[in-house]
């Protein structure tokens, strides 16, 4: 008999994917250039030329049997070393290769990090608004996800609600900064306070509480700012990273877990990830993706278009009377809908070929997400559609 739990999941498909499929179908009818598709967080800028050159060079010059051979189960040592050294340079950390585990993107990193620090029945706490895939990521481990209500003032952390949620069953706290969907960048103050609360609770409960920091948007920060590095604030941190967004490589499936060397049992964690891989069928990202990112480890794509798009949309939304927090990073913006029911709001927007994602699956009702990883020219044209929609439907 087939597995009933996975069968039941077929009825609850990702809202984001469904909207994206709708946008593609609508595009086939009216031309995709006329669909203002803000559904999917798929990067819209090319990877750096240096990445392409590195791949071409490898395929031309490397010995094929070695190049395409199995990666060691904990990842290629030279790649792990290059990543450790890059993090040390950038964030003044003291990683060695032993603390880096290459993964298939952030999803692979989270799958391992969650399994390292939880057992079935444990609790993982996250903060709304959150990436909807956290539900299946956590459920798949046998732990369960508790969602702390949002701080809708500025989408940092609602500490009152957080302290109420923490309990002796809390094994891990999962944060995502810069945040999908709010675009918030957790400040040094937020991370300091988070560390204080977690340190106090570890002492009170007499066990570790791990921080899992999901950081695929680390380099997409606006106004010349930086994302403070969460692991710098709290020793029991596992940083989960992906090159999907910074290098525009989501299809290559490449990222890593970086274990803070001062975490409890830090030396065991990467070898444990290797054991976790045996059961999940993960077995390392492809050797070529590992080797190629190691060659461009300090580079990013030209990410400037995201800031240009954010400013255009933020100005337009504010002008149209939306209640919206200005994103500090990512390629998402998360305004309040013009009616309580965000699903109804987004349904009506579809009539104007505006594909907006309702916020319910992000754990906050009444908002919507726009993924503005699209051409600036299209963002500009979409503003006219947004104006028409808001005027005709809401009289603004
Ligand atoms: N975490 C967040 C917050 C994301 O937005 C995404 C992808 O959009 C992921 C994790 C998964 O990233 P990857 O494609 O690298 O697995």
């Amino acid at each position: 008999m087939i597995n009933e739990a996975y069968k039941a999941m077929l009825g609850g498909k990702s809202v984001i994917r469904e909207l994206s499929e709708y946008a593609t179908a609508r595009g086939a009818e009216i031309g995709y250039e006329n669909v203002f598709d803000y559904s999917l967080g798929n990067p819209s800028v090319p990877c750096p030329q240096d990445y392409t050159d590195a791949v071409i060079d490898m395929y031309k010059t490397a010995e094929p049997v070695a190049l395409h051979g199995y990666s060691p189960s904990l990842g290629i040592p030279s790649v792990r070393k290059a990543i450790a050294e890059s993090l040390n340079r950038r964030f003044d950390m003291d990683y060695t290769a032993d603390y880096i585990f290459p993964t298939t993107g952030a999803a692979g990193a989270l799958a391992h990090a969650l399994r390292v620090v939880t057992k079935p029945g444990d609790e993982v706490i996250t903060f709304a608004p959150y990436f909807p895939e956290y539900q299946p990521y956590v459920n798949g481990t046998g732990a369960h996800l508790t969602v702390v209500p949002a701080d809708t003032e500025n989408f940092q952390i609602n500490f009152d609600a957080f302290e109420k949620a923490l309990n002796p069953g809390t094994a891990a706290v999962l944060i995502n900064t810069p945040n999908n969907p709010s675009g918030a960048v957790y400040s040094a103050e937020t991370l300091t306070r988070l560390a204080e609360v977690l340190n106090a609770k570890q002492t009170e409960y007499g066990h570790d509480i791990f921080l899992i920091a999901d950081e695929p948007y680390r380099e997409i920060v606006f106004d010349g700012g930086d994302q403070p590095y969460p692991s710098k604030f709290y020793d029991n941190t596992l940083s989960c990273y992906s090159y999907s967004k910074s290098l525009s490589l989501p299809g290559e499936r490449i990222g890593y877990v970086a274990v803070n060397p001062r975490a409890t049992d830090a030396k065991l964690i990467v070898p444990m990830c290797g054991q976790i891989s045996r059961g999940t069928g993960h077995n390392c990202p492809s050797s070529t993706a590992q080797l190629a990112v190691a060659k461009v480890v300090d580079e990013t794509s030209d990410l400037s278009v995201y800031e240009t798009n954010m400013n255009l949309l933020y100005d337009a939304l504010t002008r149209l009377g939306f209640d919206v927090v200005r994103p500090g990073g990512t390629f998402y913006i998360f305004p309040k809908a013009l009616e309580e029911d965000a699903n109804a709001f987004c349904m009506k927007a579809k009539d104007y070929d505006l594909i907006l994602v309702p916020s319910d699956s992000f754990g906050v009702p009444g908002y919507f997400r726009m993924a503005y990883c699209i051409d600036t020219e299209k963002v500009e044209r979409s503003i006219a559609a947004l104006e028409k929609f808001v005027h005709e439907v809401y009289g603004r």
Side-chain angles (χ1 to χ4, degrees), residues 27-90:
E29 281 170 33
I30 62 165
Y32 187 68
E33 68 283 5
N34 298 313
V35 183
F36 305 115
D37 182 5
Y38 284 111
S39 63
L40 213 59
N42 214 357
S44 57
V45 293
C47 65
Q49 186 60 40
D50 287 349
Y51 179 85
T52 308
D53 291 345
V55 173
I56 292 171
D57 183 58
M58 265 190 301
Y59 273 83
K60 276 192 174 154
T61 59
E63 200 280 305
V65 174
L67 180 64
H68 301 298
Y70 279 116
S71 158
S73 57
L74 302 185
I76 298 173
S78 62
V79 174
R80 298 167 66 199
K81 182 165 178 280
I83 293 170
E85 287 172 356
S86 167
L87 289 172
N88 294 346
R89 273 194 300 279
R90 292 178 58 201

Side-chain angles (χ1 to χ4, degrees), residues 337-348 358 360 365-367 394:
L338 295 180
E339 61 181 292
E340 248 174 57
D341 182 348
N343 284 292
F345 175 84
C346 295
M347 265 319 237
K348 291 171 192 167
D360 300 71
Y367 288 73
Y394 298 97

Side-chain angles (χ1 to χ4, degrees), residues 41-42 104-110 130-131 133-134 137 176 178-181 214-217 241-245 249-251 253-255 331-332 369:
N42 214 357
T104 51
L110 289 164
Y130 66 95
F131 180 49
E133 293 303 292
Y134 286 177
Y137 290 175
N176 166 222
N179 183 266
N180 173 8
D214 180 20
E215 305 172 49
Y217 303 93
Y241 185 73
S242 168
Y243 294 98
S244 294
K245 319 289 174 170
L249 297 173
R253 313 305 305 133
I254 177 81
F331 39 58
Y332 307 107
R369 188 191 79 173

